[in-house]
Amino acid sequence: MSDVHLDSAVLATLQDVMEDEYPVLLDTFLKDSEERVQLLHQSLEAGDGEGLRRAAHSFKGSCSNMGAMLLTELCRALEDAARQGALEQADGLIDRIEREFAIVRILMRSERQRFTLG
């Protein structure tokens, strides 16, 4: 598993802490993240810079907790752009967040399958 996309040490710690609930945590993160990406789009389309900043901030924390480090950094960049009112940068950042989340989704599903079969 690539440490660029997911920090395997964070996932190992989460697995130790969550034990049998680890797959539920992975599923919850994926479902929640899909909703957060939609919220990013909705906030941008509405021109709601503060809503976009809050959504990016919340998603950033969730990604950080799950070890999705590149996704965390992209959310931080989006949060900063929204805070500065630079919404013209937001569309490209949201596209990058979506692409990175697609990779993270595949890796997390693989992690879930590995845990379930392991």
Side-chain angles (χ1 to χ4, degrees), residues 47 49-50 52-53 78-90:
E50 178 57 20
L52 183 61
R53 185 201 64 76
L78 180 59
E79 179 185 10
D80 290 345
R83 179 180 298 110
Q84 296 165 7
L87 297 186
E88 68 280 356
Q89 296 174 16

Side-chain angles (χ1 to χ4, degrees), residues 57-74:
H57 176 79
S58 179
F59 195 17
K60 176 186 74 178
S62 175
C63 293
S64 177
N65 291 339
M66 295 300 292
M69 305 322 290
L70 184 52
L71 201 47
T72 300
E73 291 307 314
L74 290 168

Side-chain angles (χ1 to χ4, degrees), residues 39-52:
L39 184 57
L40 294 175
H41 279 290
Q42 291 167 359
S43 297
L44 180 60
E45 288 168 13
D48 181 2
E50 178 57 20
L52 183 61

Side-chain angles (χ1 to χ4, degrees), residues 1-114:
M1 184 176 322
S2 172
D3 286 344
V4 172
H5 301 287
L6 285 176
D7 185 331
S8 55
V10 170
L11 291 179
T13 300
L14 289 171
Q15 184 177 338
D16 287 346
V17 170
M18 297 299 295
E19 297 179 344
D20 292 341
E21 293 300 309
Y22 181 62
V24 175
L25 177 67
L26 297 175
D27 291 343
T28 301
F29 172 76
L30 292 175
K31 182 180 183 306
D32 183 61
S33 295
E34 289 169 6
E35 294 170 3
R36 290 176 191 264
V37 169
Q38 287 304 315
L39 184 57
L40 294 175
H41 279 290
Q42 291 167 359
S43 297
L44 180 60
E45 288 168 13
D48 181 2
E50 178 57 20
L52 183 61
R53 185 201 64 76
R54 285 193 313 267
H57 176 79
S58 179
F59 195 17
K60 176 186 74 178
S62 175
C63 293
S64 177
N65 291 339
M66 295 300 292
M69 305 322 290
L70 184 52
L71 201 47
T72 300
E73 291 307 314
L74 290 168
C75 289
R76 177 175 288 118
L78 180 59
E79 179 185 10
D80 290 345
R83 179 180 298 110
Q84 296 165 7
L87 297 186
E88 68 280 356
Q89 296 174 16
D91 198 36
L93 285 167
I94 292 172
D95 285 346
R96 291 177 62 197
I97 286 169
E98 281 189 299
R99 286 193 303 272
E100 179 60 20
F101 176 59
I103 294 167
V104 167
R105 180 188 299 122
I106 291 166
L107 293 172
M108 287 234 175
R109 285 179 177 161
S110 175
E111 172 71 5
R112 188 191 193 293
Q113 188 172 21
R114 183 194 63 75

